[in-house]
Amino acid sequence: MIKEKQLRFQIQTKSTTYLFEVTESGHLKHYYYGPVLSEKDAENWDISSSVGWGCALLYRQDDPSSSLHTTPLEWSGSGCGDYRESPIELEDADRVLTTDFRYVSHKIYSGEEPRHFLWPRAEGAEETLEVCLSDPEIAMDLHLYWSVFDDVICRKAVLLNKGNDPRYVRKLMSFCVDFSGEYRMMNLHGDWIREAHTETAPVGYSRIVNESLTGFSSNQHNPAFAVMTEQTTEWSGDAYGFNLIYSGNHYASMARSSANLTRIMQGISPANFRFELAPGEALETPDAVMTFSAEGLNGMSRNLHEFVNNSLVPAYWRYRERPILYNSWEGCMFDFNERKLLGLAKEAKRLGCELFVLDDGWFGTRNDDTQGLGDYNVNMKKLPHGLTGLAERINKIGLQFGLWFEPEAVNENSDLYRMHPDWVLQEPGRKPLQGRNEYLLDLRMECVRDYIVKSVSDVLDSANITYVKWDMNRHSNVLGAGSMEYVLGLYDVMHRIFDPRPEILLESCASGGNRFDLGMMTISPQIWASDNTDPMERLYTQKGLSYFYPQSTMGCHVSASPHMQTMRHSEMETRANVAFFGDLGYELDLDHVTYENKKKIREQIKFYKQYQRIFQFGTFYRYDTDENHEQWQVSDGDCSFVGVFRRQVSAAPGYEKLFIYALDPEQEYHVTTRPQNVNLSTVGGSINLLSPIKINPNGPLFYVADHRIHITAASEDRTHTGRALAGGFVPVPLFAGSGYDGRQRLVGDGGSELYVIEKTGK
Ligand code: GLA
């Protein structure tokens, strides 16, 4: 709900209030964003100083409190006494322009405002406030927007050139706001196979910037960030979440001013940005997303997860369960033929998978990553019955069929490049650089977009394809507004291909999580989180992403051990326990999986299927843990799953205490553990503590037994109230080298347990 009284605006979400007003000089003064305020509080809330401050320039000589530098603002300009970073920078042909936008009018729309540009956006806003500002000196108007969703506010800016000469936009943020007080910023950094690690830093008087300059939302700096206080934990305290519905170069900054105001802004990166705004034209920013929770980071995540699941992902896929898939990449790479694929598909079906995904290598001369990219004609040597025939055979086995593409890129060694070298994204006079032997196609060119739409659509219509993995493996450093225009081109292509085919499940991928962003999610309900499937590494990546994105958006696969990137060994059960907290898939050569491990996979899939809705759409909680542990929970209110993951065990652990929150304190719950087996090789020679005959842990008998016999770890089975479980209970002890009688948990380094907590109804 949005209310206005004497130019004081009150934006009310389900559990927050946002307050600002128009000052006498026409600027927008920010007052408050936090827990719901009463009507009276909202009317009286004030932040003001009636006297001037130190070196402040006064906006009006007759008003000592009129310095813009010491006013908390909803937007600011340059050159009028606010020395803080400005969200807007403009030039005309000759000079940098002073900007000073002041209130002219406002409007409250039910639902969304009429749109200007083509940015992807969330659907289903309750109301939208538009405030129109103007700077007559430079003949420009600025319209600012606040759209209300359940517990999220979307903001954006639209700049209009009302003059007779072109203007050049060097910077236009989606929003800017000044909070009073001291904060910390948490953001996600990383690289390929090390995506979404968190970093938290106090915001001081020097500016902190979270920015991507790779052309994409990037695995180096995800656009999402959290703002919190020193006291904020996963479960309590103030937590603000911010994000941008955009897939290109982005920018966010925070800095504290000398007056103790913390300025926050976010938008398209201004680095090397220059956009010509012709007379009469408008430039619209992508939407920024903001939320607040007084229930800590878990509360912030809940608001953002609900927003994505309810309003952001394509309508067809909202709360629709994602199929359990088998992907051919890690098992086969480029080396496969129809026989191999059908063998894998049969096995995947036997294990319980629902969808078979053929990854890279099915077209042109794509037998390695140096060639063929761009030529989407089926390799008939590998697939003699074509995709149509393969899809039919896979469907007959009882699986859906999905396919990999990388439509934005091209190898130099490809027919497409030989025919159209000019289609490559490049600067006149400079040779473009390659990454993974690829150039990017210039999606700003209409003929390129038409080519991609046609070639991908033709393939999709040639066979029964119900899933697409859309990959992109090369950064871009195109400068100017070119990066933004590329992203617009990409959205255009994807909409033209997938809007008419809403039932195709699109999983976006960019060398893993290089484009894990809200812009992609408006088209692609699921995103491949990382090429790294080592469960210990995935704990970092999935946890980092979980702050801002729901489990339903995260592709999470079980792969082989030792892991191909870290060479780390892991238990099959831990690999699954981590992957359960997302969209489960399997990605390993099933011909090389032991009989015992296949049995485990079958059990894992059966279990996941039973609770798929909760794992994909349930409320997600992280626990405050030390660096050796992670504890995650998903819940639908009646049933919860708690994963406890351990990076390293310590000797003689003694009794542990486990706390389980987010349960009804008055209700009774039955707590069990998903039954787990460990390999003989995990316990090694200690098996002789149990075995009636002595087995040499390095001998052939042990090797054979390792593939056939597994040891069952102790399981929990207890009933307690939610209150007791939140107070902490002592689970069965950990194995500590002093004997094993079946009542110890066998959890080594990298071990895990999955607790199942169900209401008994008593
Ligand atoms: C990227 C993706 C992988 C796989 C390969 C295929 O690395 O992230 O999942 O699809 O490309 O070349």
Side-chain angles (χ1 to χ4, degrees):
M1 186 191 45
I2 301 175
K3 282 197 242 167
E4 179 270 332
K5 203 166 160 193
Q6 291 167 340
L7 294 187
R8 178 176 272 244
F9 297 95
Q10 184 182 342
I11 300 172
Q12 207 70 47
T13 72
K14 214 163 57 183
S15 51
T16 68
T17 297
Y18 191 102
L19 274 184
F20 68 95
E21 81 174 6
V22 180
T23 64
E24 269 178 48
S25 54
H27 298 102
L28 305 185
K29 182 170 179 181
H30 177 84
Y31 279 123
Y32 178 87
Y33 188 22
V36 174
L37 286 185
S38 71
E39 209 53 34
K40 203 164 157 205
D41 277 336
E43 276 175 24
N44 298 334
W45 208 266
D46 197 12
I47 302 175
S48 63
S49 160
S50 54
V51 291
W53 301 48
C55 309
L57 289 188
L58 297 186
Y59 190 80
R60 286 177 17 190
Q61 196 47 36
D62 61 345
D63 178 0
S65 70
S66 66
S67 163
L68 293 181
H69 187 68
T70 54
T71 308
L73 292 167
E74 286 286 305
W75 188 265
S76 184
S78 328
C80 289
D82 185 354
Y83 301 114
R84 295 168 292 176
E85 183 185 4
S86 169
I88 184 168
E89 287 176 18
L90 298 178
E91 290 173 3
D92 66 11
D94 309 318
R95 64 197 168 107
V96 173
L97 299 174
T98 293
T99 53
D100 182 24
F101 289 95
R102 284 153 327 224
Y103 175 86
V104 176
S105 64
H106 74 270
K107 225 180 203 167
I108 297 171
Y109 299 93
S110 145
E112 285 136 13
E113 86 297 347
R115 22 186 351 181
H116 296 252
F117 239 46
L118 279 175
W119 295 118
R121 65 186 336 190
E123 280 174 1
E126 286 161 32
E127 278 182 313
T128 298
L129 166 65
E130 175 187 55
V131 176
C132 306
L133 310 168
S134 180
D135 185 346
E137 305 299 322
I138 54 170
M140 310 263 321
D141 286 357
L142 180 72
H143 295 192
L144 301 180
Y145 296 86
W146 294 255
S147 298
V148 182
F149 294 82
D150 269 1
D151 249 334
V152 155
I153 298 173
C154 283
R155 285 191 60 178
K156 72 169 176 199
V158 179
L159 183 67
L160 300 99
N161 184 355
K162 301 291 233 188
N164 299 321
D165 304 309
R167 302 278 189 239
Y168 300 92
V169 184
R170 299 298 307 258
K171 176 179 184 184
L172 182 64
M173 292 289 101
S174 296
F175 81 93
C176 170
V177 71
D178 294 334
F179 289 174
S180 46
E182 291 169 30
Y183 296 94
R184 300 164 79 78
M185 184 198 222
M186 181 183 81
N187 46 42
L188 305 179
H189 69 96
D191 207 319
W192 176 64
I193 65 171
R194 205 189 65 228
E195 291 87 345
H197 287 225
T198 56
E199 182 175 50
T200 305
V203 179
Y205 298 107
S206 302
R207 193 184 298 165
I208 299 191
V209 168
N210 182 51
E211 182 175 30
S212 155
L213 295 175
T214 65
F216 304 101
S217 49
S218 119
N219 49 23
Q220 298 182 6
H221 300 282
N222 192 279
F225 65 100
V227 172
M228 53 202 184
T229 68
E230 216 180 329
Q231 290 75 37
T232 307
T233 69
E234 296 288 359
W235 294 93
S236 67
D238 289 357
Y240 297 88
F242 296 90
N243 209 340
L244 198 63
I245 308 183
Y246 184 61
S247 309
N249 288 345
H250 59 83
Y251 176 91
S253 73
M254 283 185 74
R256 229 162 107 193
S257 76
S258 51
N260 208 23
L261 295 172
T262 298
R263 173 157 291 183
I264 310 172
M265 65 179 73
Q266 185 170 34
I268 292 179
S269 165
N272 298 307
F273 187 83
R274 189 165 190 265
F275 183 85
E276 180 176 335
L277 200 57
E281 278 193 354
L283 174 64
E284 177 186 350
T285 68
D287 278 33
V289 168
M290 50 169 76
T291 193
F292 167 81
S293 172
E295 292 170 28
L297 291 161
N298 282 327
M300 174 199 83
S301 301
R302 189 182 56 232
N303 293 350
L304 293 172
H305 290 191
E306 282 175 4
F307 172 70
V308 171
N309 280 330
N310 290 334
S311 311
L312 206 83
V313 297
Y316 182 87
W317 286 100
R318 282 181 206 153
Y319 294 103
R320 193 177 285 263
E321 284 162 32
R322 318 286 196 253
I324 299 162
L325 65 81
Y326 173 81
N327 178 298
S328 68
W329 177 243
E330 287 197 17
C332 304
M333 301 267 155
F334 296 99
D335 185 18
F336 57 82
N337 55 30
E338 191 187 80
R339 206 156 52 93
K340 169 82 182 171
L341 296 179
L342 292 178
L344 289 170
K346 278 184 198 139
E347 200 52 47
K349 172 69 187 171
R350 271 196 285 270
L351 297 177
C353 292
E354 297 160 323
L355 161 71
F356 183 89
V357 179
L358 173 54
D359 209 279
D360 201 353
W362 58 268
F363 52 83
T365 56
R366 187 89 177 144
N367 297 318
D368 56 49
D369 66 9
T370 65
Q371 52 183 327
L373 198 57
D375 305 335
Y376 292 104
N377 48 314
V378 183
N379 181 330
M380 298 301 274
K381 264 198 213 141
K382 287 182 182 171
L383 307 174
H385 300 96
L387 285 177
T388 323
L390 178 66
E392 276 168 12
R393 285 164 177 75
I394 300 251
N395 290 164
K396 225 183 234 158
I397 290 169
L399 294 174
Q400 300 170 48
F401 178 60
L403 199 57
W404 179 95
F405 292 88
E406 191 177 342
E408 298 161 68
V410 64
N411 284 134
E412 202 166 62
N413 185 0
S414 68
D415 292 341
L416 181 65
Y417 183 80
R418 280 183 282 274
M419 255 183 322
H420 298 290
D422 53 315
W423 281 11
V424 159
L425 191 65
Q426 56 197 313
E427 257 211 58
R430 287 185 198 271
K431 179 131 178 70
L433 307 176
Q434 298 189 34
R436 206 194 182 201
N437 313 301
E438 294 168 15
Y439 297 123
L440 278 187
L441 294 171
D442 191 344
L443 266 57
R444 297 172 301 178
M445 294 164 73
E446 204 178 334
C447 56
V448 172
R449 297 203 297 274
D450 291 348
Y451 169 81
I452 297 177
V453 171
K454 177 154 179 19
S455 51
V456 175
S457 303
D458 284 352
V459 174
L460 294 183
D461 294 340
S462 74
N464 187 17
I465 296 169
T466 56
Y467 162 106
V468 167
K469 179 172 170 191
W470 182 293
D471 207 344
M472 186 285 299
N473 284 299
R474 187 193 176 281
H475 288 330
S476 137
N477 38 22
V478 61
L479 302 180
S483 157
M484 178 184 89
E485 285 156 2
Y486 180 95
V487 176
L488 275 173
L490 172 66
Y491 291 145
D492 172 57
V493 164
M494 294 180 99
H495 277 297
R496 280 162 63 193
I497 297 172
F498 295 105
D499 285 359
R501 302 172 178 85
E503 68 294 339
I504 289 186
L505 173 60
L506 177 60
E507 177 156 2
S508 161
C509 165
S511 313
N514 201 10
R515 206 148 58 182
F516 207 105
D517 63 68
L518 296 180
M520 274 297 124
M521 279 172 207
T522 61
I523 314 167
S524 164
Q526 183 167 325
I527 299 183
W528 180 224
S530 171
D531 276 357
N532 193 339
T533 42
D534 174 328
M536 291 299 104
E537 294 297 315
R538 274 289 182 136
L539 288 178
Y540 293 112
T541 299
Q542 289 177 216
K543 179 182 181 181
L545 293 174
S546 79
Y547 283 99
F548 309 101
Y549 306 101
Q551 313 86 272
S552 63
T553 60
M554 280 182 226
C556 299
H557 297 179
V558 170
S559 64
S561 170
H563 191 260
M564 63 156 73
Q565 287 140 2
T566 58
M567 293 192 284
R568 188 182 282 131
H569 289 260
S570 61
E571 289 287 341
M572 179 56 96
E573 300 294 31
T574 293
R575 281 174 262 162
N577 285 344
V578 176
F580 284 160
F581 288 86
D583 301 322
L584 179 68
Y586 287 79
E587 188 166 342
L588 69 175
D589 190 342
L590 295 175
D591 293 341
H592 299 165
V593 176
T594 62
Y595 168 81
E596 268 299 322
N597 276 341
K598 278 190 187 158
K599 230 165 83 182
K600 288 183 194 170
I601 294 179
R602 210 170 297 125
E603 288 302 318
Q604 291 166 356
I605 294 182
K606 202 168 133 206
F607 172 79
Y608 182 83
K609 266 189 190 158
Q610 200 181 341
Y611 302 108
Q612 203 164 344
R613 276 207 88 70
I614 307 179
F615 280 116
Q616 295 180 352
F617 301 105
T619 309
F620 184 86
Y621 304 93
R622 291 164 305 268
Y623 282 69
D624 293 293
T625 44
D626 60 42
E627 58 194 24
N628 246 336
H629 293 83
E630 289 299 345
Q631 187 171 330
W632 298 341
Q633 180 172 353
V634 281
S635 173
D636 73 348
D638 289 338
C639 183
S640 287
F641 299 93
V642 173
V644 179
F645 307 99
R646 206 173 304 261
R647 292 203 166 83
Q648 218 177 18
V649 290
S650 23
Y655 289 115
E656 278 196 326
K657 207 164 181 188
L658 191 66
F659 300 85
I660 299 180
Y661 303 143
L663 304 175
D664 183 337
E666 307 307 330
Q667 290 283 333
E668 190 182 82
Y669 294 87
H670 183 210
V671 181
T672 51
T673 11
R674 191 175 77 78
Q676 281 188 184
N677 296 317
V678 296
N679 293 31
L680 276 197
S681 49
T682 304
V683 294
S686 308
I687 189 62
N688 289 317
L689 298 172
L690 291 181
S691 172
I693 51 159
K694 287 268 173 274
I695 312 176
N696 173 1
N698 301 310
L701 180 59
F702 188 91
Y703 180 81
V704 173
D706 190 31
H707 291 89
R708 291 276 152 184
I709 303 171
H710 282 194
I711 312 166
T712 305
S715 177
E716 265 325 317
D717 188 351
R718 55 174 73 227
T719 303
H720 290 303
T721 59
R723 177 171 287 114
L725 293 169
F729 70 97
V730 179
V732 284
L734 289 163
F735 175 77
S738 53
Y740 180 75
D741 63 3
R743 281 177 291 169
Q744 289 78 36
R745 279 178 293 152
L746 297 169
V747 188
D749 280 0
S752 66
E753 297 127 307
L754 191 73
Y755 292 87
V756 182
I757 300 126
E758 286 170 298
K759 250 187 204 168
T760 64
K762 288 183 200 146

